[in-house]
Amino acid sequence: MTPQAPPTSPRPANTWVPWLLAMAFFSLVVAMAVGILKSHAGTGLAEAVLAGGTAFGATMGVCLAAVTAVKELRKIT
């Protein structure tokens, strides 16, 4: 009889921290790009910052929604 390896426990699901940081960084890059484009268009600083903040929130929302959608689709299959 050949010895069998003991069953391994599932890995902890703590990989969300790097993904969350990546999503925040990507959202920050998008927000900075929008803010720079807005300021080059001739708008004031306040309007450029507001547009950048809106872009950050929208991008972060889309990223989080995509993660949720992928998790739900994996449950189906």
Side-chain angles (χ1 to χ4, degrees), residues 9-72:
S9 61
R11 292 186 305 187
N14 58 357
T15 58
W16 61 270
V17 174
W19 281 108
L20 189 62
L21 289 173
M23 287 185 274
F25 180 71
F26 176 68
S27 298
L28 183 63
V29 169
V30 169
M32 287 177 59
V34 168
I36 290 170
L37 289 173
K38 262 317 226 189
S39 68
H40 282 297
T43 61
L45 177 64
E47 190 174 341
V49 170
L50 185 61
T54 303
F56 178 86
T59 306
M60 196 68 178
V62 168
C63 288
L64 291 173
V67 169
T68 304
V70 167
K71 285 175 111 177
E72 290 299 319

